[in-house]
Structures are given as structure tokens and as C-alpha cells.
Amino acid sequence: MTAEQNEYVASLPMILDEVEVLRVERVSPSFVRIELGGPALAELGPDGPVYDQRIKLIFPNAAGGLPSFANADESWWTSWIEIPEHERGSMRTYTIRDVLGEGAATRLVVDIVVHDTDDADEKDHEDGAGNRWALQAAVGQRLVTLAPRKGQEFGGIEWEPGAARRLLLVGDETAVPAIRGVLRDLPADAQGAVFVEVPVDADVQDDVTAPAGVEVTWLPRNGGARGEELHAAVLAHLTGTAPAEALTVTEDEIDPDLWETPVYSSSGEEVAEATAVPTDDSPYAGLYAWIAGESKVVTGLRRKLVNDLGLDRGQVAFMGYWREGVSMRS
Ligand SMILES: Cc1cc2nc3c(=O)[nH]c(=O)nc-3n(C[C@H](O)[C@H](O)[C@H](O)COP(=O)(O)OP(=O)(O)OC[C@H]3O[C@@H](n4cnc5c(N)ncnc54)[C@H](O)[C@@H]3O)c2cc1C
């Protein structure tokens, strides 16, 4: 890294810089763990608990090139998006799984889910760029990361349970790093339940650390329909009764950009002023639910929890992390 690059890094409120792959591990059939390092990570944030902190990775273009952010300023996004798509590299969203070490030796660990893409002939390099990169990842390769810098406001943590007394975390494989992060950073007296769907038995990460009062249930699909067991398990947990039939969601209902938290709604609905935990005598008083994964699956749970069970919008965060059949390219 040149002195000039170091200078521009310091001029932006976040980290936007090249990092190097220091370690690659195929931890299970669906997860590739990547350890990234480099001088830019010396001030990797956030300042407090990491929880579900999201970051961006920019993967190289088809020729192996990465965009340069040397001398980038606040208009970096506009400048980057104006570069032709096949040149600018592909940006995708991931979660900080771990921050290891400190200072110049800080490493950023990311778990990338490897998956099938619909575009099987892979004519389009940008489609499935994260997946394709993870499958060939090797030590010494370089990426660009956009990540929080210590001491600076970055956003990207959605975990906001407020005064909730009971927690519910639900997610699929893409939410495993976020759920792990939240469980790691919860207070020791936290109470709640976690339901995690993963593709196959071998993807279960049973080394997860959670407070004693938080029960973690892994639900491998093993070829079953996406979301089916997850829906059933969550509804049985909330209502005490196993649902009589599978939850169906029509294509019209799905918002591929589904993102509804106590403070933001992608559908433009009015949102609660702050995380509110009803104190009424509803069975869900004091509950905070954080739900992330494939948008159709999350849409089904949203409808059930908000429309049918009557959970208050201030008690829930519903996040479509990806949408089947849709590339999340920037
Ligand atoms: C806040 C946030 C945090 C996230 N954290 C993580 C994380 O830590 N690890 C992680 O792996 N993902 C994470 N994701 C999800 C990730 O951004 C998407 O899965 C993304 O689509 C992957 O990009 P891609 O280039 O592989 O595929 P894309 O180019 O986006 O899509 C190509 C095709 O692959 C399909 N596809 C995409 N993802 C999957 C999948 N997981 N399983 C099956 N098919 C898929 C799409 O439907 C599409 O048909 C996160 C998303 C958000 C919003």
C-alpha cells in the first residue's frame, strides 16, 4: 500500500480499501470462510458490539481487476456506479463474522454461502459474483471492502431489541454469521429462542456460543422446501401449536427489497418512532423478533406475525437478505 492510499483511507469516514485473503476454509458444504487482512483494517469498527454488522465486498471483474478508490471522497458511490458494470467489479452485502487481532494485524472474517445460481451457463460474470468468487478463493487474492471505521458513524447494525424481555431470532444460512454475532454479544441473562435453517446437516455450526437462556434450534433442509420447516417451527414456538398447513406466499406478495425494522420500511409504511415493546397482556408483550433470509420466506413470516398474530411493527425486524432468482448486484 502506498502512502497516497493511506492518505485517502484516512479521509473517508469508513474503510473503503483493498484487503488481501489470508486464509480460506471450506467449513462445510455451504460455507466458505474467508479471513481478510491489510493495513486498511487497522481501525476496523464498530466501536461497540458487532452484532449483525453488515459490510460490503467488491469482487474483481472478469479480467481480475478491482476498482481503485484512491483519493475517493464522499461521492465514491456515484463515481463507482458510473463505471461500466463489467469493469467496476461486483458489490455484495455480507456480515462480519468475527474481528480477530488488533491494530495492523486486524483480520476480518466473513462466511460466504456457496449456492447454485439460476444462470447455469454463467455467461454473465456479474450474476452470482460472490458465489463464484468464494468457490475459487485463494490466499493472496485481493478484494475491496466497505466496512465501519472505529470512531465513525457507519450504520449497518439492525439488532435493536430495546427493552425486550424475550428474543426471537430466525434466519437461513445467509443469516448464520449475523445470528452468531448477536448470540455472541448478548448479555448473559438474555432469554429467547433461535431458529436457523441451513441446507444440510453438515452445515450446522454447533460451536455457536449463546446465553444459557437462549435455545438454538438448527433446521437442516436436507432437500426439503426452503422455509417450510422454519415457518412451522417458528409458528409452533409462538402459538404453542404446530400449524395445520404449510405457509403459502404468492409471487405478488413478495417484495424483493423487503426491509422492515422498527425504524425503516422498504414498502414506505409508517414506522414506529422507536423500538416499542408493548406492555399489554398480549402473549407477545415484551418480545423482539429479528428475522432475516430469503425474501419469500421472510414475507411469509411477516404476514403471519404482523397480520395474523398481531405483533407490533415496533417489535420486529424483517430483512430480505436475498431473493431467489434475483441477483443482488449493485
Ligand atoms: C445485511 C445482509 C447481510 C448478509 N450477510 C451475508 C453473509 O454473511 N453471508 C452470505 O453468504 N450472505 C449474506 N447475505 C446475502 C448475500 O448478500 C446474497 O446471498 C447475495 O445475493 C449473494 O450474492 P451472489 O453474487 O452470490 O449472488 P447474486 O448475484 O446476488 O444472485 C445470483 C443468483 O443466486 C441466487 N442466490 C443468491 N444468494 C443465494 C443463496 N444464499 N442461496 C441460494 N441462491 C442464492 C439468486 O437468487 C440469483 O438467482 C447478506 C445480505 C444482507 C442484505
Side-chain angles (χ1 to χ4, degrees):
M1 165 161 298
T2 64
E4 275 161 349
Q5 280 173 314
N6 270 324
E7 206 174 305
Y8 95 74
V9 167
S11 72
L12 278 173
M14 69 286 197
I15 294 167
L16 177 62
D17 206 337
E18 276 191 29
V19 285
E20 184 175 332
V21 177
L22 301 180
R23 198 160 173 266
V24 179
E25 187 188 357
R26 182 74 175 255
V27 284
S28 70
S30 310
F31 289 96
V32 173
R33 185 159 303 152
I34 307 287
E35 206 171 296
L36 300 164
L41 297 182
E43 293 177 2
L44 180 64
D47 291 307
V50 175
Y51 293 128
D52 56 340
Q53 176 73 63
R54 65 176 171 268
I55 55 160
K56 302 276 184 187
L57 295 178
I58 301 181
F59 301 103
N61 61 30
L66 283 170
S68 167
F69 291 100
N71 303 318
D73 58 20
E74 280 71 18
S75 64
W76 69 269
W77 167 262
T78 322
S79 312
W80 178 74
I81 207 77
E82 279 170 359
I83 303 172
E85 194 177 11
H86 65 280
E87 284 176 26
R88 67 175 179 247
S90 305
M91 182 185 288
R92 298 289 186 275
T93 310
Y94 293 92
T95 305
I96 295 183
R97 181 190 194 270
D98 262 321
V99 178
L100 305 176
E102 53 186 48
T106 303
R107 278 109 62 217
L108 163 61
V109 185
V110 183
D111 271 5
I112 300 184
V113 173
V114 286
H115 57 84
D116 293 333
T117 55
D118 288 349
D119 187 0
D121 60 3
E122 298 186 352
K123 278 183 300 226
D124 185 347
H125 181 79
E126 286 78 30
D127 202 11
N131 180 55
R132 197 167 312 116
W133 182 86
L135 287 168
Q136 62 76 62
V139 170
Q141 292 178 342
R142 297 179 79 79
L143 299 175
V144 169
T145 190
L146 171 67
R149 178 189 293 287
K150 281 209 167 74
Q152 302 285 344
E153 194 55 46
F154 181 78
I157 293 181
E158 302 296 348
W159 178 253
E160 285 281 352
R165 301 182 298 275
R166 208 152 50 99
L167 308 170
L168 173 65
L169 282 111
V170 180
D172 68 10
E173 54 271 34
T174 61
V176 167
I179 290 175
R180 287 188 71 113
V182 170
L183 292 176
R184 177 194 57 222
D185 296 336
L186 280 177
D189 61 352
Q191 300 283 325
V194 178
F195 296 92
V196 199
E197 180 181 295
V198 287
V200 293
D201 291 328
D203 290 317
V204 171
Q205 298 186 5
D206 45 20
D207 60 338
V208 71
T209 50
V214 178
E215 192 181 349
V216 182
T217 305
W218 292 88
L219 299 165
R221 281 191 297 280
N222 289 325
R226 190 178 288 286
E228 199 170 290
E229 262 202 74
L230 190 68
H231 280 163
V234 171
L235 294 182
H237 169 74
L238 287 173
T239 64
T241 319
E245 53 195 44
L247 225 172
T248 52
V249 179
T250 63
E251 287 299 312
D252 295 352
E253 271 185 272
I254 306 164
D255 171 0
D257 301 316
L258 176 60
W259 203 269
E260 285 187 13
T261 69
V263 293
Y264 177 80
S265 167
S266 58
S267 64
E269 270 181 37
E270 207 169 301
V271 293
E273 291 209 337
T275 306
V277 179
T279 51
D280 59 29
D281 54 6
S282 124
Y284 308 113
L287 176 74
Y288 170 76
W290 178 107
I291 300 175
E294 199 281 327
S295 292
K296 182 175 183 179
V297 176
V298 177
T299 300
L301 283 173
R302 182 202 181 281
R303 192 185 62 211
K304 239 1 212 187
L305 269 59
V306 173
N307 298 4
D308 298 355
L309 302 183
L311 264 78
D312 189 280
R313 280 285 319 282
Q315 292 177 269
V316 285
F318 295 106
M319 292 154 293
Y321 267 20
W322 64 284
R323 171 71 192 114
E324 195 148 26
V326 178
S327 171
M328 302 310 257
R329 61 177 59 173
S330 298

